[in-house]
Amino acid sequence: MYDPTVARLTYRALLGRRRALVLGALPLLLIVISLAVRLLTGADDQVAADVLGGFALATMVPIIGVIAGTGAIGPEIDDGSVVYLLSKPLKRPTIVFTKLIVAIAVTMVFSALPTLIAGLILNGNGQQVAVAYTVAALVASIAYSALFLLLGTVSRHAVVFGLVYALVWEALFGSLVSGARTLSVQQWSLAVAHKVVGSNLITSDVGLPAATALLIVVTVAATWYAGQRLRALTLAGEE
């Protein structure tokens, strides 16, 4: 299910100079903000939770997920170079799964690791805040990567749709409409963070059992359907 050649090509595409600069901008900004907040307010658990929840998990993780998830396959479909990959004797699910693994790895490195560093800067992991949000970022990275990889296979405007989901649905509607928060990767990952921290310092509108089930279902379903879309793309090309 994993092909090293496809993985190498995908890593090269995602970590090119221009894309790497974009991927690194938000983590750097998070660390700068964390340093400034620590200098101004000192070590405060609630402030740390607010910064990590409001910027790291709500903004940085989904945007990086959009860049990595859609970038793992979208540009190849847009410019037609995916035809060369599909002409190789590789199963379509193998291509999708390999690209998903790469997208998850890139998203985790550029989101979960900076989240941990920022949390340690903000309050030294008081009340397990840094670890809780790091775990949430890791979990969210998997679901976001699968969702946005699927978007990359179904639309030429995957980045736009991904940003609309991440910044409009989750951030805007999620703050205004309580029902929208139930269908939010952010809330699902917050449920995991709440379990880690063990207090109401971090809360979620979704219970842990439901959040876990939804994370698994969405990730598996998105990965499976992306494979089906890639198979349909092959058939269209052959016709």
Side-chain angles (χ1 to χ4, degrees):
M1 290 296 292
Y2 181 85
D3 186 85
T5 301
V6 174
R8 185 173 64 253
L9 293 173
T10 307
Y11 275 118
R12 187 180 300 172
L14 285 179
L15 299 178
R17 182 180 302 176
R18 193 147 131 212
R19 199 178 296 269
L21 288 174
V22 176
L23 286 169
L26 284 175
L28 179 61
L29 179 59
L30 172 64
I31 291 174
V32 170
I33 290 173
S34 300
L35 286 168
V37 170
R38 178 61 186 265
L39 289 173
L40 291 173
T41 65
D44 186 291
D45 296 339
Q46 186 60 61
V47 171
D50 291 342
V51 172
L52 295 179
F55 184 81
L57 194 62
T59 303
M60 182 185 72
V61 179
I63 290 179
I64 291 176
V66 169
I67 296 171
T70 61
I73 196 168
E76 292 177 310
I77 294 176
D78 291 343
D79 63 21
S81 61
V82 72
V83 173
Y84 296 100
L85 181 60
L86 297 178
S87 66
K88 304 299 181 183
L90 290 171
K91 294 180 179 180
R92 305 304 171 250
T94 297
I95 295 173
V96 169
F97 184 76
T98 301
K99 288 182 172 293
L100 175 62
I101 293 299
V102 173
I104 290 173
V106 170
T107 305
M108 285 181 172
V109 168
F110 283 92
S111 61
L113 183 59
T115 298
L116 177 61
I117 295 172
L120 293 175
I121 291 172
L122 285 164
N123 75 333
N125 195 37
Q127 294 195 54
Q128 297 292 309
V129 170
V131 170
Y133 275 106
T134 300
V135 172
L138 290 170
V139 170
S141 295
I142 298 173
Y144 280 132
S145 296
L147 278 174
F148 299 138
L149 181 68
L150 172 61
L151 278 179
T153 66
V154 301
S155 174
R156 291 181 178 272
H157 307 290
V159 173
V160 174
F161 289 130
L163 291 175
V164 167
Y165 171 78
L167 301 180
V168 177
W169 177 264
E170 290 202 340
L172 181 59
F173 283 96
S175 63
L176 299 175
V177 183
S178 58
R181 290 194 285 270
T182 304
L183 301 176
S184 166
V185 174
Q186 179 187 341
Q187 289 297 320
W188 304 342
S189 58
L190 280 173
V192 179
H194 172 72
K195 178 65 175 180
V196 174
V197 82
S199 72
N200 289 329
L201 194 62
I202 302 174
T203 60
S204 172
D205 287 356
V206 183
L208 182 61
T212 303
L214 287 167
L215 284 165
I216 293 172
V217 169
V218 166
T219 301
V220 172
T223 304
W224 173 82
Y225 191 60
Q228 298 304 305
R229 290 292 302 180
L230 202 60
R231 183 177 288 114
L233 180 65
T234 305
L235 295 174
E238 291 172 351
E239 292 173 359

